[in-house]
């Protein structure tokens, strides 16, 4: 996954790394998954310029729950209670991550990557932040935002009905089709990347922000 993130980064303007600040959950699903107006025909790249208006297609970070239970910002106790013990833990090469991490500020703290049944988190002490969901590793895994569900059965066609501009601006690689969607109504650096196979089925849903 990390390799694909670096490849994808060459197609998006370089921006400064900032951790997405979750917003208060909205009561209306139309606020969580905001469909673009027909009058607006510009495609916005989150964080591309401070002169751009806020994104018109987004999935609010705080609206998403793993299997409709676990939030993307969580802690060790919640994760252990829902997912059990980690499958594996890795320590990154801190000299070569170029501040591409949730917990990075002026310096890089001693965080680790932890993996639970197809889900990757970044962990620092008891705090965990979502990085990715790999639906090829866990067919029972899904992400829920209001009435929108993302799992291994989600198709590119379905996503295009809700996020037409994001799908129109998709990045097509040899083996994957990648769609970028903002994680906030506000203008932010990061993006959710929805990765589909060439048959049009969702394989991964991950968070990305550039160095």
């Amino acid at each position: 996954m990390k390799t694909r993130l670096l490849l994808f980064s060459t197609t998006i303007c370089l921006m400064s790394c900032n951790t997405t600040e979750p917003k208060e959950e909205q009561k209306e699903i139309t606020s969580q998954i905001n469909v673009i107006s027909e009058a607006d025909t510009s495609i916005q790249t989150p964080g591309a310029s401070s002169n751009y208006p806020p994104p018109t297609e987004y999935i609010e970070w705080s609206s998403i729950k793993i299997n409709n239970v676990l939030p993307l910002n969580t802690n060790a106790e919640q994760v252990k209670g829902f997912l059990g013990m980690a499958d594996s833990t890795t320590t990154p090469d801190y000299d070569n991550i170029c501040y591409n991490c949730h917990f990075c500020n002026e310096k890089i703290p001693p965080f680790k990557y932890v993996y639970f049944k197809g889900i990757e988190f970044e962990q620092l002490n008891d705090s965990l932040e979502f990085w990715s969901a790999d639906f090829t590793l866990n067919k029972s895994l899904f992400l829920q935002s209001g009435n929108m569900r993302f799992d291994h059965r989600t198709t590119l066609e379905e996503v295009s009905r809700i996020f037409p501009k994001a799908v129109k601006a998709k990045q097509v690689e040899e083996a994957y089709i990648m769609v970028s969607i903002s994680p906030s109504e506000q203008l932010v650096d990061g993006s959710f990347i929805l990765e589909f196979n060439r048959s049009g089925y969702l394989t991964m849903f991950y968070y990305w922000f550039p160095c």
Side-chain angles (χ1 to χ4, degrees):
M1 185 201 76
K2 296 300 179 185
T3 301
R4 289 198 292 274
L5 289 179
L6 292 175
L7 290 174
F8 189 78
S9 67
T10 61
T11 68
I12 300 180
C13 297
L14 290 178
M15 303 166 282
S16 62
C17 291
N18 289 318
T19 300
T20 300
E21 292 293 337
K23 292 180 57 183
E24 181 179 348
E25 290 190 14
Q26 305 294 318
K27 294 182 180 180
E28 297 292 335
I29 183 58
T30 53
S31 296
Q32 297 173 344
I33 304 178
N34 193 20
V35 182
I36 195 165
S37 65
E38 294 180 359
D40 185 359
T41 58
S42 63
I43 295 175
Q44 304 299 341
T45 301
S49 170
S50 59
N51 294 323
Y52 284 139
T56 50
E57 291 185 343
Y58 64 93
I59 310 171
E60 187 64 52
W61 174 283
S62 62
S63 75
I64 301 174
K65 291 187 176 180
I66 299 167
N67 282 33
N68 211 21
V69 173
L70 195 67
L72 302 189
N73 298 68
T74 185
N75 58 62
E77 183 177 356
Q78 285 181 314
V79 172
K80 183 178 179 180
F82 183 62
L83 298 173
M85 300 298 293
D87 298 329
S88 62
T89 300
T90 62
T91 300
D93 180 356
Y94 299 117
D95 293 329
N96 292 291
I97 61 171
C98 63
Y99 287 84
N100 188 8
C101 51
H102 287 291
F103 297 111
C104 293
N105 292 305
E106 295 181 358
K107 63 180 181 179
I108 299 174
F111 72 90
K112 295 183 179 181
Y113 297 117
V114 290
Y115 304 87
F116 298 84
K117 303 173 177 64
I119 306 165
E120 179 185 4
F121 292 101
E122 180 181 320
Q123 181 172 7
L124 179 64
N125 300 322
D126 289 333
S127 298
L128 288 91
E129 298 275 352
F130 172 84
W131 266 115
S132 69
D134 189 338
F135 303 114
T136 67
L137 299 178
N138 185 352
K139 293 295 193 285
S140 65
L141 174 62
F142 66 94
L143 302 178
Q144 191 81 26
S145 174
N147 62 1
M148 184 69 177
R149 174 178 168 131
F150 300 93
D151 61 20
H152 71 283
R153 295 167 295 187
T154 300
T155 66
L156 184 62
E157 181 180 1
E158 291 171 337
V159 172
S160 70
R161 298 189 194 116
I162 301 174
F163 305 106
K165 285 191 175 182
V167 172
K168 184 178 180 180
K170 64 185 179 293
Q171 178 71 26
V172 180
E173 301 291 343
E174 182 177 352
Y176 300 97
I177 301 169
M178 290 174 283
V179 176
S180 173
I181 300 174
S182 176
S184 174
E185 183 180 8
Q186 304 301 316
L187 195 64
V188 296
D189 290 344
S191 297
F192 287 126
I193 305 299
L194 280 63
E195 186 175 283
F196 298 83
N197 59 29
R198 293 309 294 264
S199 296
Y201 285 94
L202 187 63
T203 57
M204 291 190 69
F205 184 115
Y206 55 87
Y207 184 59
W208 175 90
F209 53 74
C211 298

